[in-house]
Amino acid sequence: MLKTIVKVSEVNNLSDARYCAGMGVEYIGFSMDNVPFEKYKEMRGWLAGVQIVGETSSNNALHIQEMVSTFLPDAIQISANSGSDLPDLDALKELNLPIILKTDFAEANLPALFQSTAGYVTYFLLENSDEFTTIDAITNQIETWAAQYPILLGFGITEDNANQLLEEVGFKGLALKGGEEIRPGFANMDELINILEALDDDF
């Protein structure tokens, strides 16, 4: 059993999907933009006991609604770096699904974004496109936000610091990414496996 909520994003192969489900990952995300529906349908058929997240980079609420009607996820993930990038949240709220909002520490006006969208969003997934900014350098700043908003940390996570980040900063959970499929049925999952095992009470 994992010590916290974990979301694994960008899953595109059955190896990752089944491993994550077996480890007790709460949310498994598939790109509605890139994963063919038939492949998604096949992978979902193997999964039980997890929440399926339909991920998209689209800011067109109508298009998102159409994809949701096809993929039928348990939650949706949208992306934004500023308020103007957002799809119509009132329209998406009509879907009656949890909304995960992925945003970028390096680019977004996070205080304004948190404040304006908190009433719609179940979790904020925080990533960072600036490879020179380490998680240690900004922990204090993020800790302030984590005390006010439900944040899933999506960067700077290793098997060595995962538990420390949870204990010291107070994130609602962690967001990891699936590995690339090397060949059908086999994926490079070493980093993902190591972090999940570090979070597993049984290890």
Side-chain angles (χ1 to χ4, degrees):
M1 182 177 177
L2 299 180
K3 300 172 184 176
T4 188
I5 293 170
V6 173
K7 176 184 183 291
V8 178
S9 302
E10 300 177 15
V11 174
N12 59 15
N13 63 84
L14 188 56
S15 299
D16 279 8
R18 294 182 70 178
Y19 176 78
C20 292
M23 284 294 289
V25 166
E26 179 117 358
Y27 295 100
I28 296 180
F30 298 91
S31 171
M32 297 187 294
D33 302 328
N34 300 319
V35 176
F37 175 70
E38 288 304 319
K39 182 177 182 180
Y40 161 83
K41 184 178 178 182
E42 179 183 1
M43 289 190 289
R44 182 164 187 173
W46 284 94
L47 302 177
V50 295
Q51 298 290 302
I52 303 298
V53 182
E55 301 169 344
T56 180
S57 60
S58 174
N59 62 1
N60 184 314
L62 179 59
H63 180 53
I64 295 172
Q65 289 171 328
E66 291 171 348
M67 289 192 293
V68 166
S69 69
T70 299
F71 283 80
L72 299 176
D74 302 306
I76 56 174
Q77 177 179 296
I78 57 175
S79 301
N81 292 323
S82 67
S84 60
D85 294 331
L86 286 168
D88 183 344
L89 292 176
D90 285 312
L92 295 184
K93 194 172 183 178
E94 295 177 3
L95 294 169
N96 292 317
L97 294 175
I99 296 175
I100 299 172
L101 177 57
K102 183 178 77 170
T103 189
D104 190 338
F105 175 86
E107 296 184 3
N109 180 348
L110 289 176
L113 185 66
F114 289 147
Q115 187 172 14
S116 63
T117 61
Y120 299 92
V121 172
T122 304
Y123 296 110
F124 294 95
L125 197 167
L126 190 59
E127 295 191 344
N128 184 19
S129 61
D130 182 359
E131 61 185 45
F132 298 106
T133 301
T134 66
I135 186 65
D136 293 335
I138 56 178
T139 296
N140 290 340
Q141 186 174 0
I142 297 178
E143 186 175 6
T144 301
W145 295 329
Q148 303 175 62
Y149 303 103
I151 293 176
L152 303 178
L153 179 67
F155 69 96
I157 306 163
T158 68
E159 60 180 302
D160 296 321
N161 71 6
N163 287 291
Q164 181 181 358
L165 287 169
L166 288 171
E167 294 167 5
E168 295 183 359
V169 183
F171 295 109
K172 290 297 183 184
L174 302 177
L176 309 173
K177 291 185 178 180
E180 287 299 316
E181 195 168 30
I182 302 168
R183 61 183 188 276
F186 295 89
N188 183 3
M189 300 167 55
D190 292 348
E191 184 178 15
L192 177 66
I193 288 172
N194 290 339
I195 295 174
L196 289 179
E197 289 183 353
L199 295 169
D200 192 341
D201 283 329
D202 294 330
F203 280 84

